[in-house]
PDB file of all heavy atoms in Angstrom:
ATOM      1  N   ASP A1597      57.734 105.503 166.779  1.00 96.00           N
ATOM      2  CA  ASP A1597      58.088 104.736 165.603  1.00 96.00           C
ATOM      3  C   ASP A1597      57.283 105.275 164.407  1.00 96.00           C
ATOM      4  O   ASP A1597      56.159 104.850 164.137  1.00 96.00           O
ATOM      5  CB  ASP A1597      57.797 103.261 165.784  1.00 96.00           C
ATOM      6  CG  ASP A1597      58.240 102.392 164.614  1.00 96.00           C
ATOM      7  OD1 ASP A1597      58.841 102.922 163.637  1.00 96.00           O
ATOM      8  OD2 ASP A1597      57.973 101.133 164.686  1.00 96.00           O
ATOM      9  N   TYR A1598      57.934 106.217 163.667  1.00 96.00           N
ATOM     10  CA  TYR A1598      57.212 106.907 162.608  1.00 96.00           C
ATOM     11  C   TYR A1598      57.867 106.738 161.240  1.00 96.00           C
ATOM     12  O   TYR A1598      59.156 106.745 161.199  1.00 96.00           O
ATOM     13  CB  TYR A1598      57.118 108.416 162.894  1.00 96.00           C
ATOM     14  CG  TYR A1598      56.597 108.725 164.338  1.00 96.00           C
ATOM     15  CD1 TYR A1598      57.347 109.516 165.192  1.00 96.00           C
ATOM     16  CD2 TYR A1598      55.387 108.138 164.762  1.00 96.00           C
ATOM     17  CE1 TYR A1598      56.928 109.738 166.471  1.00 96.00           C
ATOM     18  CE2 TYR A1598      55.008 108.417 166.095  1.00 96.00           C
ATOM     19  CZ  TYR A1598      55.778 109.225 166.926  1.00 96.00           C
ATOM     20  OH  TYR A1598      55.318 109.440 168.207  1.00 96.00           O
ATOM     21  N   CYS A1599      57.149 106.664 160.197  1.00 97.00           N
ATOM     22  CA  CYS A1599      57.632 106.608 158.830  1.00 97.00           C
ATOM     23  C   CYS A1599      57.017 107.713 158.045  1.00 97.00           C
ATOM     24  O   CYS A1599      55.762 107.828 157.955  1.00 97.00           O
ATOM     25  CB  CYS A1599      57.311 105.219 158.250  1.00 97.00           C
ATOM     26  SG  CYS A1599      57.770 105.106 156.498  1.00 97.00           S
ATOM     27  N   LEU A1600      57.822 108.618 157.449  1.00 97.00           N
ATOM     28  CA  LEU A1600      57.306 109.690 156.666  1.00 97.00           C
ATOM     29  C   LEU A1600      56.873 109.188 155.311  1.00 97.00           C
ATOM     30  O   LEU A1600      57.703 108.649 154.510  1.00 97.00           O
ATOM     31  CB  LEU A1600      58.445 110.766 156.486  1.00 97.00           C
ATOM     32  CG  LEU A1600      58.050 112.001 155.677  1.00 97.00           C
ATOM     33  CD1 LEU A1600      56.883 112.772 156.338  1.00 97.00           C
ATOM     34  CD2 LEU A1600      59.279 112.883 155.463  1.00 97.00           C
ATOM     35  N   LEU A1601      55.647 109.363 154.943  1.00 98.00           N
ATOM     36  CA  LEU A1601      55.102 108.916 153.694  1.00 98.00           C
ATOM     37  C   LEU A1601      55.122 109.960 152.660  1.00 98.00           C
ATOM     38  O   LEU A1601      55.304 109.698 151.467  1.00 98.00           O
ATOM     39  CB  LEU A1601      53.636 108.396 153.943  1.00 98.00           C
ATOM     40  CG  LEU A1601      53.425 107.308 155.006  1.00 98.00           C
ATOM     41  CD1 LEU A1601      51.909 107.072 155.095  1.00 98.00           C
ATOM     42  CD2 LEU A1601      54.169 106.061 154.661  1.00 98.00           C
ATOM     43  N   GLY A1602      54.918 111.194 153.045  1.00 97.00           N
ATOM     44  CA  GLY A1602      54.955 112.354 152.128  1.00 97.00           C
ATOM     45  C   GLY A1602      54.900 113.648 152.830  1.00 97.00           C
ATOM     46  O   GLY A1602      54.469 113.714 153.991  1.00 97.00           O
ATOM     47  N   GLU A1603      55.358 114.700 152.179  1.00 96.00           N
ATOM     48  CA  GLU A1603      55.365 116.032 152.834  1.00 96.00           C
ATOM     49  C   GLU A1603      55.288 117.106 151.711  1.00 96.00           C
ATOM     50  O   GLU A1603      55.453 116.760 150.526  1.00 96.00           O
ATOM     51  CB  GLU A1603      56.591 116.192 153.661  1.00 96.00           C
ATOM     52  CG  GLU A1603      57.896 116.134 152.917  1.00 96.00           C
ATOM     53  CD  GLU A1603      59.079 116.268 153.892  1.00 96.00           C
ATOM     54  OE1 GLU A1603      58.901 116.756 154.987  1.00 96.00           O
ATOM     55  OE2 GLU A1603      60.150 115.821 153.450  1.00 96.00           O
ATOM     56  N   SER A1604      55.083 118.326 152.107  1.00 94.00           N
ATOM     57  CA  SER A1604      55.068 119.433 151.170  1.00 94.00           C
ATOM     58  C   SER A1604      56.451 119.709 150.668  1.00 94.00           C
ATOM     59  O   SER A1604      57.358 119.799 151.503  1.00 94.00           O
ATOM     60  CB  SER A1604      54.436 120.621 151.822  1.00 94.00           C
ATOM     61  OG  SER A1604      54.422 121.782 150.894  1.00 94.00           O
ATOM     62  N   LEU A1605      56.567 119.881 149.431  1.00 93.00           N
ATOM     63  CA  LEU A1605      57.865 120.198 148.819  1.00 93.00           C
ATOM     64  C   LEU A1605      58.160 121.707 148.824  1.00 93.00           C
ATOM     65  O   LEU A1605      59.259 122.101 148.471  1.00 93.00           O
ATOM     66  CB  LEU A1605      57.934 119.658 147.362  1.00 93.00           C
ATOM     67  CG  LEU A1605      57.639 118.166 147.222  1.00 93.00           C
ATOM     68  CD1 LEU A1605      57.653 117.752 145.714  1.00 93.00           C
ATOM     69  CD2 LEU A1605      58.645 117.350 147.985  1.00 93.00           C
ATOM     70  N   ASP A1606      57.140 122.469 149.159  1.00 93.00           N
ATOM     71  CA  ASP A1606      57.335 123.937 149.261  1.00 93.00           C
ATOM     72  C   ASP A1606      56.453 124.514 150.354  1.00 93.00           C
ATOM     73  O   ASP A1606      56.695 124.181 151.500  1.00 93.00           O
ATOM     74  CB  ASP A1606      57.036 124.622 147.830  1.00 93.00           C
ATOM     75  CG  ASP A1606      55.862 123.974 147.157  1.00 93.00           C
ATOM     76  OD1 ASP A1606      54.743 124.017 147.739  1.00 93.00           O
ATOM     77  OD2 ASP A1606      56.032 123.490 146.055  1.00 93.00           O
ATOM     78  N   ASP A1607      55.413 125.256 149.979  1.00 90.00           N
ATOM     79  CA  ASP A1607      54.537 125.832 150.987  1.00 90.00           C
ATOM     80  C   ASP A1607      53.711 124.729 151.683  1.00 90.00           C
ATOM     81  O   ASP A1607      53.197 123.847 151.028  1.00 90.00           O
ATOM     82  CB  ASP A1607      53.593 126.820 150.363  1.00 90.00           C
ATOM     83  CG  ASP A1607      54.228 128.095 149.861  1.00 90.00           C
ATOM     84  OD1 ASP A1607      55.406 128.286 150.154  1.00 90.00           O
ATOM     85  OD2 ASP A1607      53.596 128.874 149.161  1.00 90.00           O
ATOM     86  N   ALA A1608      53.571 124.878 153.030  1.00 91.00           N
ATOM     87  CA  ALA A1608      52.621 124.000 153.704  1.00 91.00           C
ATOM     88  C   ALA A1608      51.214 124.485 153.474  1.00 91.00           C
ATOM     89  O   ALA A1608      50.987 125.612 152.995  1.00 91.00           O
ATOM     90  CB  ALA A1608      52.931 124.032 155.226  1.00 91.00           C
ATOM     91  N   ALA A1609      50.206 123.648 153.757  1.00 93.00           N
ATOM     92  CA  ALA A1609      48.842 124.019 153.459  1.00 93.00           C
ATOM     93  C   ALA A1609      48.417 125.268 154.269  1.00 93.00           C
ATOM     94  O   ALA A1609      47.841 126.171 153.721  1.00 93.00           O
ATOM     95  CB  ALA A1609      47.886 122.888 153.813  1.00 93.00           C
ATOM     96  N   GLY A1610      48.834 125.294 155.559  1.00 91.00           N
ATOM     97  CA  GLY A1610      48.492 126.519 156.352  1.00 91.00           C
ATOM     98  C   GLY A1610      49.180 127.741 155.905  1.00 91.00           C
ATOM     99  O   GLY A1610      48.613 128.814 155.882  1.00 91.00           O
ATOM    100  N   GLU A1611      50.376 127.626 155.349  1.00 91.00           N
ATOM    101  CA  GLU A1611      51.103 128.772 154.780  1.00 91.00           C
ATOM    102  C   GLU A1611      50.406 129.264 153.508  1.00 91.00           C
ATOM    103  O   GLU A1611      50.298 130.478 153.292  1.00 91.00           O
ATOM    104  CB  GLU A1611      52.538 128.317 154.474  1.00 91.00           C
ATOM    105  CG  GLU A1611      53.454 129.490 153.983  1.00 91.00           C
ATOM    106  CD  GLU A1611      54.876 129.030 153.747  1.00 91.00           C
ATOM    107  OE1 GLU A1611      55.131 127.788 153.890  1.00 91.00           O
ATOM    108  OE2 GLU A1611      55.697 129.865 153.386  1.00 91.00           O
ATOM    109  N   ALA A1612      49.873 128.351 152.717  1.00 93.00           N
ATOM    110  CA  ALA A1612      49.144 128.707 151.509  1.00 93.00           C
ATOM    111  C   ALA A1612      47.883 129.464 151.909  1.00 93.00           C
ATOM    112  O   ALA A1612      47.519 130.464 151.252  1.00 93.00           O
ATOM    113  CB  ALA A1612      48.796 127.510 150.697  1.00 93.00           C
ATOM    114  N   PHE A1613      47.228 129.061 152.982  1.00 94.00           N
ATOM    115  CA  PHE A1613      46.016 129.780 153.441  1.00 94.00           C
ATOM    116  C   PHE A1613      46.437 131.193 153.888  1.00 94.00           C
ATOM    117  O   PHE A1613      45.758 132.166 153.530  1.00 94.00           O
ATOM    118  CB  PHE A1613      45.443 129.042 154.696  1.00 94.00           C
ATOM    119  CG  PHE A1613      44.321 128.116 154.354  1.00 94.00           C
ATOM    120  CD1 PHE A1613      44.567 126.788 154.113  1.00 94.00           C
ATOM    121  CD2 PHE A1613      42.979 128.526 154.217  1.00 94.00           C
ATOM    122  CE1 PHE A1613      43.555 125.886 153.809  1.00 94.00           C
ATOM    123  CE2 PHE A1613      41.977 127.644 153.925  1.00 94.00           C
ATOM    124  CZ  PHE A1613      42.297 126.352 153.718  1.00 94.00           C
ATOM    125  N   ASP A1614      47.523 131.374 154.615  1.00 92.00           N
ATOM    126  CA  ASP A1614      47.935 132.674 155.085  1.00 92.00           C
ATOM    127  C   ASP A1614      48.328 133.567 153.929  1.00 92.00           C
ATOM    128  O   ASP A1614      47.976 134.718 153.927  1.00 92.00           O
ATOM    129  CB  ASP A1614      49.076 132.505 156.054  1.00 92.00           C
ATOM    130  CG  ASP A1614      48.707 131.848 157.375  1.00 92.00           C
ATOM    131  OD1 ASP A1614      47.513 131.900 157.698  1.00 92.00           O
ATOM    132  OD2 ASP A1614      49.596 131.347 158.065  1.00 92.00           O
ATOM    133  N   LYS A1615      49.047 133.023 152.900  1.00 93.00           N
ATOM    134  CA  LYS A1615      49.441 133.847 151.777  1.00 93.00           C
ATOM    135  C   LYS A1615      48.243 134.268 150.897  1.00 93.00           C
ATOM    136  O   LYS A1615      48.206 135.391 150.406  1.00 93.00           O
ATOM    137  CB  LYS A1615      50.455 133.083 150.920  1.00 93.00           C
ATOM    138  CG  LYS A1615      51.860 132.953 151.658  1.00 93.00           C
ATOM    139  CD  LYS A1615      52.874 132.262 150.780  1.00 93.00           C
ATOM    140  CE  LYS A1615      54.187 132.202 151.467  1.00 93.00           C
ATOM    141  NZ  LYS A1615      55.239 131.488 150.656  1.00 93.00           N
ATOM    142  N   THR A1616      47.293 133.340 150.763  1.00 95.00           N
ATOM    143  CA  THR A1616      46.100 133.714 150.039  1.00 95.00           C
ATOM    144  C   THR A1616      45.302 134.807 150.769  1.00 95.00           C
ATOM    145  O   THR A1616      44.732 135.720 150.170  1.00 95.00           O
ATOM    146  CB  THR A1616      45.167 132.417 149.886  1.00 95.00           C
ATOM    147  OG1 THR A1616      45.853 131.511 149.060  1.00 95.00           O
ATOM    148  CG2 THR A1616      43.830 132.849 149.265  1.00 95.00           C
ATOM    149  N   ALA A1617      45.297 134.755 152.089  1.00 95.00           N
ATOM    150  CA  ALA A1617      44.608 135.765 152.886  1.00 95.00           C
ATOM    151  C   ALA A1617      45.282 137.139 152.633  1.00 95.00           C
ATOM    152  O   ALA A1617      44.599 138.135 152.485  1.00 95.00           O
ATOM    153  CB  ALA A1617      44.746 135.448 154.333  1.00 95.00           C
TER     154      ALA A1617
END
Side-chain angles (χ1 to χ4, degrees):
D1597 182 3
Y1598 312 125
C1599 176
L1600 180 64
L1601 304 176
E1603 62 184 341
S1604 180
L1605 303 178
D1606 40 58
D1607 292 351
E1611 186 178 4
F1613 266 94
D1614 290 339
K1615 289 181 177 179
T1616 295

